[in-house]
Amino acid sequence: MKRKLLKNTSALALLLLVTISNVRADNGYKLWLEYSKLTNQKEVVFYQQKLRYLIFPATSATLKAAQAELQTGLNDMLSLKPEKSVEIINSQTLVIGTPQSLKSLAITVPDSIGDEGYLIKTTLVNKRSCILITAKTDIGVMYGVFNFLKLLQTRQSVNDLNISDHPRITYRILDHWDNLNRSVERGYAGSSIWNWHKLPGFIDQRYIDYARANASVGINGSVINNVNADALILSPAYLLKIQALANVFRLYGIKIYVSVKFSSPVELGGLKTADPLDPAVKKWWADKVNEIYSYIPDFGGFLVKANSEGQPGPQTYGRSHVDGANMLADALAPHQGIVMWRAFVYDNKVPDDRSKQAFNEFKPFDGKFRNNVIIQVKNGPIDFQPREPFHPLFGAMPNTPLMMEFQLTQEYLGFSTHLVYEAPLFTECLQSDTYTQGKGSTVSRVITGGFNKKLITGMAGVANIGTDVNWCGHPFAQANWYAFGRFAWNPDLSPATIADDWLRMTFTNDNGFVSPVKKIMLQSRENTVNYMTPLGLHHIMGVSTHYGPGPWVDNAGRPDWNATYYHKADSAGIGFDRTSSGSDALAQYMPQVKGHWENLATCPDEYLLWFHHVKWTYKMRSGNSLWNELVHHYYSGAESVKQMQLTWDKMSGKVDPERFAEVNQLMGIQLSEALRWRDACVLYFQTFSKMPIESIYPKPDHPLSYYKDMKFYYVPGIGGNNYMTN
Ligand code: GCW
């Protein structure tokens, strides 16, 4: 009996061990830096032969970190420890460093690759052919190393290499909406990764891995706190904590920025006002900035949400955005810091269409900001909806730097239970033609400084990172973090290329997996648009939590938070008339764009109800009435989730069981939520159209009242005591 028990116990222990080791290997913590072991012996031999010797003098902390990364990668993937050498250069040698760190080898790097660019090439060094990874700076070398590892991770050849790359955008920044109490506004992946209480004494391994992951895709900045900022972030106690994080990030080329509350001089400094033109206020900020730099000599600067959604700002004191931004910019300029000033402003007291307000407020200020101010503009004019047309400010302020703000966290895209690959959304915006400088004036060219080389450039992504073991809540949400980094580096990359790399690095190189799953990813955002907000509908989700459908919402705190404000459904039709007969928001675009979207014959279906109020019986391109088309989109959106499930089911055995099961379960949740979106919206809009749901479609399971009455408690992402919605 005793022996049996013992046996059982050890079996259990073994099982536990296996489980634990599986969990460790496959829980998604390693992100796209999985470095899984190559199993194809031919490939292993191929790489091993190329990488027998290594010349990589680690003369700085950054080079040391890059060297460690290379060693981890080679060891994990190939069980390879190249012989460190100083003299053997031949076709089996990898030479890595800057011209300074490789002094004796007379390496040259063209100026054109800039401070962060790198070269990976098969070339002659000391008259001997080898693989050289070089850059002007240490961080450039690190980027080169990560990209060399990517070649191995994605099983590329390392023969005849000739890669030269550099970022097209200078400030490539993650914006964390993390509060000091560790809640995360619109965060769906656990708590804030910043453990403020334990800082500065305790450095969580996560901070290091976060920095590695960012550096691997070239992200070089992190705004660590919520734009709805707490003035305390600037207090000495927090500056010490921030300093500890900065010390970790520095090695990986990442600068820290903070979101500041405009009224900090009052709240923290005890001044009577935060009026930006008041000399005492100016002095307070200048002193504060000097203090920050005494802790963090390479501090990046400030992000500011001012006069928006209740936040204080210069207008609170009768001043303008220019007054506010320039005052902070002057304080930061001596230290080379920047101000990222958000254009996400709207006010329900302004009687105009919300989508027009940022343009109206900011365009008149073109050319008036200091040159270390960059205006941060969301991709669309409302608010990170599943689909929006590009923001009309892009291209409209030719003398002002504009940085793109994308949202990685899926506030409006199904939180962390829906598989939505956002790259197609990013590309749709980036490749939109603004026509502001004639044909080909894409948003991408505008934000990369293509029309005005003097302007600084930037791209921000609202982070989807938290304490969940896999960082982002959904294994596939990691792809949005990854894609953001790749786009910030080069906005013209294709979503398919990025998905391909990410899948290979994160899961497997098995084409039987990569190809069908890539298809799922590329289709996923359109699916979600279809079951949430097809044909240009927007902002019809649950009030305040933004969870699930809420097209009936008409009693939010402010009219411009009501769904009815946006869809304007009535017995005649549906949609927001933004043509000249309506709000005329279209006038904010160039005539070519305006003309295209204003004309019902040319307006793409995708934007139809964004710009037009259309009759229910209107004949669509497909031949369907608008009503039938709308119903069709909702049903096909939900159906596509079922299709996605079928594809994923076939992937069992091609990926580790943990992540397979996790995605499987999440797809189940996604399906039920997609069905709820579909049924709730179709039933609600039917109360206006009074038209039938075609009999080819199954009837919704419940009456409309059922969906309207549903309650959800403690929905994530809002913090505080807001525990209920709808
Ligand atoms: O998308 C909305 C969110 C707010 C957010 C705001 C903003 C940080 O619902 O939670 O606040 O945008 O971007 O400032």
Side-chain angles (χ1 to χ4, degrees):
M1 176 71 184
K2 213 169 178 192
R3 274 188 56 171
K4 200 169 167 209
L5 187 72
L6 249 182
K7 236 179 153 180
N8 281 346
T9 319
S10 52
L12 188 71
L14 191 74
L15 193 77
L16 257 174
L17 205 79
V18 170
T19 319
I20 288 171
S21 65
N22 267 344
V23 168
R24 273 184 174 278
D26 305 314
N27 60 12
Y29 179 83
K30 289 183 173 179
L31 297 159
W32 49 90
L33 302 176
E34 190 87 18
Y35 300 138
S36 25
K37 198 147 305 305
L38 273 70
T39 46
N40 179 330
Q41 244 355 76
K42 253 167 84 188
E43 286 173 347
V44 174
V45 171
F46 170 77
Y47 289 127
Q48 282 180 341
Q49 277 177 350
K50 292 279 163 191
L51 310 170
R52 276 192 60 188
Y53 305 107
L54 175 67
I55 300 181
F56 192 168
T59 52
S60 72
T62 295
L63 291 178
K64 265 197 198 97
Q67 198 194 62
E69 193 71 34
L70 181 76
Q71 270 157 357
T72 305
L74 295 182
N75 190 38
D76 290 1
M77 285 189 279
L78 300 163
S79 309
L80 181 67
K81 291 195 175 65
E83 198 173 307
K84 284 199 195 142
S85 159
V86 272
E87 62 237 11
I88 304 174
I89 302 183
N90 61 28
S91 60
Q92 300 185 309
T93 312
L94 187 55
V95 179
I96 305 181
T98 60
Q100 300 88 300
S101 72
L102 297 169
K103 238 184 262 131
S104 58
L105 297 180
I107 308 284
T108 55
V109 181
D111 258 0
S112 56
I113 67 166
D115 281 346
E116 295 174 296
Y118 61 86
L119 302 174
I120 305 177
K121 54 180 186 175
T122 309
T123 186
L124 296 180
V125 170
N126 274 358
K127 302 197 183 124
R128 293 293 194 70
S129 179
C130 63
I131 298 175
L132 172 70
I133 303 177
T134 187
K136 278 170 66 178
T137 59
D138 295 349
I139 189 64
V141 170
M142 179 176 278
Y143 292 155
V145 165
F146 273 116
N147 279 280
F148 182 74
L149 286 168
K150 179 164 70 120
L151 295 178
L152 308 188
Q153 288 174 282
T154 56
R155 310 292 187 268
Q156 310 284 310
S157 166
V158 290
N159 284 333
D160 304 319
L161 291 169
N162 190 11
I163 300 171
S164 158
D165 205 1
H166 66 276
R168 316 301 189 271
I169 285 177
T170 304
Y171 297 96
R172 306 179 298 277
I173 299 183
L174 280 181
D175 289 358
H176 290 262
W177 286 356
D178 292 19
N179 298 314
L180 301 187
N181 64 4
R182 296 194 78 183
S183 64
V184 181
E185 182 151 353
R186 311 307 178 183
Y188 312 103
S191 309
S192 167
I193 53 170
W194 319 127
N195 192 334
W196 292 111
H197 180 67
K198 287 187 177 169
L199 280 166
F202 177 70
I203 299 299
D204 192 326
Q205 177 63 34
R206 261 191 195 246
Y207 307 153
I208 300 164
D209 292 329
Y210 165 86
R212 286 174 54 230
N214 280 336
S216 76
V217 284
I219 292 170
N220 66 359
S222 176
V223 181
I224 52 174
N225 62 318
N226 191 354
V227 285
N228 291 328
D230 187 327
L232 269 182
I233 192 78
L234 296 177
S235 64
Y238 279 90
L239 292 181
L240 263 178
K241 297 170 193 278
I242 299 171
Q243 179 186 49
L245 289 176
N247 290 345
V248 174
F249 295 173
R250 186 168 298 117
L251 312 188
Y252 294 91
I254 297 163
K255 284 191 178 179
I256 287 205
Y257 300 76
V258 299
S259 297
V260 295
K261 190 164 189 180
F262 201 76
S263 54
S264 298
V266 177
E267 287 179 47
L268 206 61
L271 302 191
K272 288 213 168 55
T273 176
D275 177 352
L277 301 190
D278 184 305
V281 172
K282 287 188 192 178
K283 180 169 181 330
W284 188 87
W285 280 109
D287 291 347
K288 183 48 83 181
V289 166
N290 290 339
E291 185 190 348
I292 297 172
Y293 280 89
S294 73
Y295 289 92
I296 308 149
D298 55 353
F299 179 70
F302 295 150
L303 172 64
V304 193
K305 172 174 177 178
N307 297 116
S308 168
E309 299 186 332
Q311 290 301 316
Q315 293 171 351
T316 318
Y317 309 94
R319 310 296 182 189
S320 71
H321 287 293
V322 174
D323 297 328
N326 286 353
M327 181 270 296
L328 294 177
D330 288 343
L332 287 156
H335 306 277
Q336 281 74 53
I338 62 162
V339 175
M340 295 171 282
W341 191 269
R342 294 178 90 224
F344 179 69
V345 296
Y346 65 102
D347 191 338
N348 61 321
K349 292 190 201 90
V350 177
D352 212 345
D353 174 1
R354 169 174 167 188
S355 85
K356 293 166 67 180
Q357 295 182 25
F359 182 98
N360 288 344
E361 277 205 50
F362 278 84
K363 174 141 173 69
F365 294 138
D366 186 28
K368 303 223 157 62
F369 292 97
R370 299 278 192 266
N371 57 15
N372 59 334
V373 174
I374 186 162
I375 305 301
Q376 184 165 305
V377 183
K378 289 188 180 181
N379 57 286
I382 297 282
D383 188 10
F384 298 138
Q385 296 302 295
R387 168 165 279 128
E388 296 198 30
F390 69 89
H391 201 299
L393 272 176
F394 290 114
M397 296 182 74
N399 301 306
T400 306
L402 299 185
M403 87 191 269
M404 174 63 71
E405 182 176 355
F406 284 130
Q407 190 180 46
L408 316 183
T409 189
Q410 293 170 231
E411 174 179 2
Y412 300 104
L413 287 168
F415 294 8
S416 58
T417 53
H418 295 214
L419 190 165
V420 180
Y421 175 53
E422 295 169 340
L425 184 162
F426 302 158
T427 289
E428 191 172 285
C429 173
L430 291 164
Q431 299 309 326
S432 292
D433 198 339
T434 68
Y435 280 91
T436 48
Q437 310 281 327
K439 193 168 166 43
S441 309
T442 57
V443 172
S444 164
R445 276 183 80 186
V446 170
I447 64 163
T448 50
F451 298 108
N452 188 344
K453 298 276 176 232
K454 282 188 288 198
L455 306 180
I456 56 174
T457 55
M459 189 187 283
V462 179
N464 59 354
I465 297 165
T467 48
D468 274 10
V469 69
N470 70 10
W471 300 82
C472 301
H474 193 304
F476 277 80
Q478 297 177 354
N480 295 329
W481 176 7
Y482 179 81
F484 167 73
R486 298 289 301 273
F487 279 121
W489 183 276
N490 181 356
D492 297 328
L493 288 177
S494 89
T497 305
I498 298 172
D500 199 275
D501 286 342
W502 179 78
L503 283 168
R504 290 173 191 280
M505 295 162 86
T506 307
F507 289 103
T508 168
N509 274 276
D510 177 352
N511 281 324
F513 175 84
V514 174
S515 144
V517 178
K518 185 166 56 183
K519 255 201 205 132
I520 287 185
M521 289 175 74
L522 292 172
Q523 183 56 38
S524 59
R525 181 273 188 140
E526 201 61 41
N527 295 346
T528 298
V529 168
N530 282 335
Y531 63 72
M532 287 186 178
T533 52
L535 302 176
L537 287 174
H538 49 288
H539 213 290
I540 56 170
M541 60 285 151
V543 69
S544 102
T545 62
H546 299 171
Y547 176 61
W552 45 80
V553 172
D554 60 1
N555 61 352
R558 335 174 355 170
D560 54 4
W561 287 347
N562 284 332
T564 49
Y565 172 101
Y566 297 96
H567 64 66
K568 302 211 186 301
D570 55 25
S571 58
I574 180 171
F576 198 128
D577 183 0
R578 293 192 164 106
T579 69
S580 49
S581 59
S583 80
D584 207 16
L586 272 164
Q588 295 181 336
Y589 293 97
M590 292 300 283
Q592 295 91 327
V593 179
K594 171 183 149 101
H596 187 62
W597 287 342
E598 189 162 50
N599 182 348
L600 270 177
T602 51
C603 181
D605 288 0
E606 286 83 354
Y607 298 138
L608 187 67
L609 306 180
W610 187 283
F611 290 118
H612 299 273
H613 190 77
V614 183
K615 282 205 185 73
W616 293 112
T617 51
Y618 175 78
K619 192 161 171 214
M620 303 287 291
R621 287 191 181 86
S622 63
N624 281 339
S625 66
L626 168 64
W627 166 251
N628 280 347
E629 186 75 7
L630 188 71
V631 171
H632 169 70
H633 276 268
Y634 274 112
Y635 275 83
S636 68
E639 178 59 29
S640 60
V641 180
K642 291 189 194 155
Q643 294 306 320
M644 191 159 76
Q645 281 182 313
L646 291 178
T647 307
W648 186 253
D649 279 346
K650 295 197 196 111
M651 298 303 117
S652 155
K654 292 190 191 297
V655 288
D656 53 279
E658 289 75 19
R659 285 182 298 179
F660 175 80
E662 185 173 3
V663 171
N664 206 34
Q665 292 185 56
L666 291 173
M667 280 184 179
I669 301 177
Q670 181 173 359
L671 178 63
S672 68
E673 294 186 351
L675 291 171
R676 181 154 64 85
W677 266 96
R678 179 193 81 184
D679 293 348
C681 290
V682 165
L683 288 172
Y684 170 75
F685 290 130
Q686 192 179 35
T687 64
F688 299 96
S689 80
K690 306 265 193 282
M691 292 163 83
I693 297 169
E694 282 184 289
S695 57
I696 47 167
Y697 298 119
K699 290 212 165 25
D701 286 340
H702 306 280
L704 177 60
S705 56
Y706 170 89
Y707 299 101
K708 285 172 92 168
D709 290 345
M710 285 178 95
K711 299 266 181 283
F712 304 97
Y713 300 94
Y714 296 109
V715 172
I718 42 173
N721 291 320
N722 284 334
Y723 64 84
M724 221 169 77
T725 180
N726 299 21

